[in-house]
Amino acid sequence: MGILRRWLGKGSGQPDRAQIPGYDEDTILATDLRTILREVNSPGQPSDMPRRVRLCRQALNLTDRGQAPDLWAALQGMLGSSLAQNPQGERAENLEQAIHHFKQALEVRTRTESPKQWAGIQNNLANAYADRIRGVRAENIDQAIHHYRQALQVITRSALPGQWAMTRHNLAHAYANRIHGERAENMEQAIHHFKQALEIRTRTDLPEQWAMTQHQLANAYADRIHGERAENLERAIQHFEQALKVRTRTALPKEWATTQHDLASAYLMRIRSEHAENLERAINHFGQALEVHTQADSPQDWALTQHDLASAYLLRIRGERAENLEQAIRHFGQALEVYTRADLPEQWALTQHDLAQAYAGRIHGQRGENLERAINHFGQALEVHTRAGLPAEHRRTQRDLGDLYFGQGDWAAAETAYTAALEAEADLRLQTHPETSHRGEAGSRIQAYIDVAYCALRLGRPAAGLLRLEQGKTHLLRETLALSEVELAALPAADRQAIESAREAVHDLEAEMHLAPDTPARRSDRELAEALPQARAELDYLIETIHAARPEFIPTGLDLGGLLDLIPAGGALVVPLFTSQGSAVFVVPRGTATVTQGHLVELEGFTAADLHTLLQGPPDEPQPAGWLGAYNKYRISPDSPSVKQAWLDRIETVGRELWDGVLGPVHERLQRQGLQQGAPVLFMPQGGLGLLPVHAAWRILDGHRRYFLDDWAIHYLPSGYALSVGRRRLQEARRQGQRLLAVVNPTQDLQFAPAEGKAVTARFSDFQRLEGDAATVEAIMQATPGCHYLHLACHGSYDWWDPMQSGLTLAAGQRFTLSKLIAELDLSASRLVTLSGCETGVTNIRRSPDEYLGLPAGLLQAGAPAVIGTLWPVADLSTGLLLERFYQNLLGHDGNQPLPAASALRAAQCWLRDVSAAALREKGGAAAVALAPAQASDTPFSHPYYWATFTFSGA
């Protein structure tokens, strides 16, 4: 505008005809440049844009770039802005022309000579790319981000605060919608820039802009991946409520309704506060949104709100369940008045799926008819949710259809649906990024493997059932630890680049498919439905080609022969499975050629619900109880005598309940199979059973407690495949040695850890000890290569929400995360890693226990053949005593024969449990001092709290 004003302020008279291309006597009166510039420079509304476009083009025809470059560039920018706002003509073409003219302007407007004008055009060009319809959506957003960042090099907060805040807001919005890059990092960028914008956009000075940014920031928190999910949702609710202080129904009805809808969605997902109350609030806010979002005025917003309101009624706790389901069915039906298969197939299919869920649970009407309707609606959803086109949605719909059949005991139909879901799961192995593959659904996916295994049992195919369980465990290991990324990193560069490019293509198409239908540059559902299967087929071909040459790439689990070959001489494989319809345990001894019904132990009266109660308490408890509830209280208040006593009592109670419900029948079967006392038992826990000390299950025999541990040496298995890899590793020549690396008390708050470190290293002739401040990540990385035993007497924790961020706490508070361990720690010579101070670290016990793996599984994947871990933290005095005894048993000191690691741990646990205070005082050292007050006959560590925390995993 400034350039135009300068031109209008020049002396009167017509421009020199020789300097104006296209000038002739017949047009000069109609196209007088000064008249055109005066009109172009006047304020205008969107309705004025068509005329302004014509005027700019006429002015450009009369302006020579060489003679008047500033004016020419100003007109190019003005034409670009007018085209971007032009309500007439094809929107896509207008934006293409706008981008062209902005780029033309930038050929003259440089940052050096015209910084403010250059920045303004960069900002306008970014806006045009953000709205662009043609081209690839992912690339358009990246272009928008680039040009917003260019603009911000000149548009500073101090010089141009209003424009700076607007550009920050737009940049944040672009990051929130970005397709390329890691979703988690994009959301962090969005949150950062929205917050920057709010430093200028205050409620007092710019209320509408403030409210808009508050709303967008709320959505960013609702979608945030980093941080605690519960806290992110609380922040989202707070920012939506802030936005509603300005976005009132009277002043801004459409914006008010949109914020009401999104606030309702946040309450629907909310983790904190009472769940029933959150659902009531969601229903209330959805209802308010529908006061403005009507079918006539905004049909898609109305349909979306109807669908989400139906979902809230489907989940509702208060009120009559039967009536809530009727409301859900009614609102889903209303959504389908707008969501048709022809116009909005993806939304139509999603609503068909959810309507099926409502009919599956319906109380009114005939049960058989309701189930038929549910099956019919699932079937309609599957017409769009195809394996080729939308494998993730196909997997979910087939899994839910399988659940319906499973609940009815229709094992064959359930198996068919579950199998289809698992086939789609296989298609998705490398098609999604690790940050999106795990969150929220891993537990239900693993349950599909368990349920299809149970179907196979009921259909008389136990071998197939056992293989399904092995596949599920291997899948959980890969997905929870993002092992596809680890496996990918091990490939040659050409293979890795080919897969990354193919996966990125699939990722971009999937992200585009999930955009709103009216999003700029989004292709039609038909175009995407054709492009997605082709992109997936190319990726699948690459994976299959690489897998053929490298069988270790993306393992699916062992075959039956490979699984049975793992069973050690004189031992057995024990694999339980728990479902809503019943439970069983495979007990398969060494020498079994084929698995039959005779290898099954039916668990009468014990289902997945009983395991859930054992872990988390009754389902109607407002706060988690059971094992995890008691553990969480102990973790928070370990020094409280009453809390600790409650935890000790829970350990004993759960041990007895485990025996009565699960381990007692297994023990009897092992005895009938002729296994000798102390025989090795490979135990592959399913679901949340891996959180419990199975080896501490007990009963009363001859007036005394006898534990499962007293009869059997337990090897815990993350999966059969993981054990097979560990055994191969253990046979490697480079692992045949006894060099020890001991990491001792890096945080200097474990009183007895130094004594433990000295006692352990005394069992080795070749060792290095990193103690206190010397125990840094760098020092461990440098010292580990060539070490056969790694003893870690330090704090550690398991991150339930992001397992790859689990890890060890070292000197100066350094975190050695599982991600870094797997990727960078050289365990190529290791035989055993011992985690003496680490725990499960259940940081959020609302997470599904079915997803639990623990630190040992991660270290097995990092390269260790075997790991000793702990399920809960214990006093370091008892820990040091037990582990000193363990190494003594393992290495065969004092004239004894060396024991296998699992047997060595079992013997050390039994010794610690039974050893008297007098015997410990005779050892001298820290134990003698600590146990001085005890009676000589006391067994100070007899409680399973002290010894049952230790587990052996691997080979």
Side-chain angles (χ1 to χ4, degrees), residues 12 23 34 41 152 237 303 324 387 427 458 472 632 661 716-717 722 736 869 890 893:
S12 61
Y23 171 85
R34 187 171 302 283
N41 197 46
L152 285 169
I237 289 169
N324 289 337
R387 178 180 172 185
D427 294 342
R458 298 283 74 91
N632 194 50
Y716 289 94
L717 308 186
Q736 310 310 310
L890 178 71
H893 285 231

Side-chain angles (χ1 to χ4, degrees), residues 23 48 97 103 256 345 347 493 552 680 706 723 907 913 930 944:
Y23 171 85
D48 300 326
Q97 291 188 31
K103 288 181 176 179
W256 174 82
Q347 290 86 340
E552 73 280 4
R706 189 166 183 85
L723 177 59
R913 179 193 64 192

Side-chain angles (χ1 to χ4, degrees), residues 763-899:
R763 297 292 172 181
F764 291 82
S765 59
D766 184 8
F767 67 87
Q768 180 178 357
R769 187 165 63 232
L770 295 173
E771 194 164 353
D773 291 338
T776 63
V777 171
E778 295 76 15
I780 293 172
M781 297 263 298
Q782 185 176 359
T784 300
C787 288
H788 306 101
Y789 295 91
L790 184 58
H791 183 90
L792 302 167
C794 60
H795 294 294
S797 62
Y798 182 76
D799 190 322
W800 204 271
W801 288 97
D802 188 356
M804 292 298 275
Q805 295 308 307
S806 305
L808 312 173
T809 303
L810 301 177
Q814 284 185 315
R815 287 283 294 167
F816 202 171
T817 65
L818 197 51
S819 175
K820 191 175 183 68
L821 279 164
I822 291 175
E824 300 181 33
L825 188 63
D826 183 359
L827 294 174
S828 60
S830 68
R831 294 181 61 83
L832 173 70
V833 175
T834 300
L835 304 170
S836 88
C838 304
E839 55 171 310
T840 56
V842 185
T843 58
N844 190 315
I845 58 179
R846 292 179 182 269
R847 194 74 169 172
S848 168
D850 296 340
E851 299 176 39
Y852 173 73
L853 277 175
L855 285 174
L859 284 162
L860 289 173
Q861 184 58 38
V867 179
I868 289 177
T870 56
L871 294 172
W872 59 85
V874 296
D876 47 347
L877 172 60
S878 57
T879 295
L881 291 169
L882 185 146
L883 291 173
E884 180 186 2
R885 188 76 174 198
F886 161 73
Y887 284 111
Q888 177 180 321
N889 297 336
L890 178 71
L891 301 175
H893 285 231
D894 301 329
N896 296 314
Q897 288 296 315
L899 293 177

Side-chain angles (χ1 to χ4, degrees), residues 898-952:
L899 293 177
S903 298
L905 178 61
R906 169 180 173 266
Q909 289 173 304
C910 292
W911 171 82
L912 182 68
R913 179 193 64 192
D914 299 334
V915 70
S916 68
L920 290 172
R921 282 199 290 261
E922 289 178 6
K923 287 172 59 65
V929 176
L931 297 173
Q935 296 293 321
S937 60
D938 286 352
T939 52
F941 303 117
S942 61
H943 195 286
Y945 163 80
Y946 294 103
W947 52 266
T949 182
F950 293 93
T951 63
F952 176 82

Side-chain angles (χ1 to χ4, degrees), residues 31-299:
T31 58
D32 178 80
L33 181 58
R34 187 171 302 283
T35 302
I36 294 172
L37 295 182
R38 188 174 290 109
E39 187 166 353
V40 167
N41 197 46
S42 63
Q45 299 298 320
S47 58
D48 300 326
M49 291 304 113
R51 175 169 174 76
R52 179 168 288 185
V53 167
R54 292 193 298 271
L55 291 170
C56 286
R57 284 175 172 158
Q58 287 179 330
L60 280 168
N61 285 335
L62 298 171
T63 305
D64 182 84
R65 174 178 174 177
Q67 296 295 322
D70 283 350
L71 176 60
W72 181 86
L75 287 168
Q76 291 285 359
M78 177 67 76
L79 178 54
S81 297
S82 302
L83 283 162
Q85 301 174 68
N86 190 6
Q88 292 185 6
E90 184 188 2
R91 174 70 171 156
E93 179 58 28
N94 287 342
L95 287 170
E96 293 304 301
Q97 291 188 31
I99 289 169
H100 167 74
H101 289 292
F102 287 138
K103 288 181 176 179
Q104 289 284 96
L106 287 173
E107 293 180 7
V108 172
R109 299 288 198 216
T110 64
R111 181 181 175 184
T112 303
E113 296 181 359
S114 309
K116 289 186 178 179
Q117 292 85 353
W118 174 84
I121 296 169
Q122 290 284 359
N123 186 75
N124 291 340
L125 181 56
N127 289 335
Y129 271 115
D131 293 339
R132 193 184 186 198
I133 295 169
R134 295 178 185 168
V136 178
R137 177 64 177 162
E139 294 175 2
N140 290 341
I141 295 175
D142 283 352
Q143 284 289 337
I145 289 171
H146 167 74
H147 290 292
Y148 284 134
R149 286 193 170 278
Q150 290 285 94
L152 285 169
Q153 293 179 20
V154 171
I155 299 174
T156 63
R157 177 176 176 176
S158 57
L160 299 164
Q163 291 183 43
W164 179 85
M166 177 187 67
T167 307
R168 286 283 182 185
H169 174 97
N170 292 341
L171 177 58
H173 188 70
Y175 270 115
N177 290 300
R178 194 181 185 211
I179 295 170
H180 285 157
E182 289 192 9
R183 179 68 175 156
E185 182 55 32
N186 289 337
M187 295 312 302
E188 294 305 299
Q189 288 285 342
I191 289 169
H192 168 73
H193 292 294
F194 280 134
K195 286 182 174 180
Q196 294 267 294
L198 285 172
E199 293 179 8
I200 299 299
R201 289 184 163 185
T202 65
R203 182 181 175 185
T204 303
D205 297 333
L206 299 163
E208 288 191 31
Q209 292 93 326
W210 174 82
M212 178 171 61
T213 304
Q214 289 283 357
H215 178 100
Q216 297 284 10
L217 179 57
N219 277 327
Y221 271 116
D223 292 338
R224 192 185 189 199
I225 295 170
H226 286 164
E228 185 187 359
R229 178 67 173 154
E231 178 59 27
N232 289 338
L233 289 171
E234 293 304 303
R235 292 189 181 185
I237 289 169
Q238 292 168 10
H239 289 291
F240 282 133
E241 289 175 342
Q242 289 287 92
L244 287 172
K245 293 178 179 179
V246 170
R247 290 183 163 188
T248 64
R249 182 177 178 182
T250 304
L252 298 164
K254 290 184 178 180
E255 291 80 0
W256 174 82
T258 298
T259 304
Q260 289 285 354
H261 172 275
D262 293 353
L263 176 58
S265 298
Y267 274 116
L268 199 61
M269 298 183 288
R270 193 183 191 193
I271 296 170
R272 294 181 183 167
S273 192
E274 185 187 0
H275 188 46
E277 178 59 25
N278 290 336
L279 291 171
E280 294 304 304
R281 292 188 179 187
I283 289 169
N284 174 61
H285 289 292
F286 282 134
Q288 292 199 63
L290 286 172
E291 294 175 8
V292 173
H293 286 164
T294 64
Q295 186 173 5
D297 294 336
S298 49

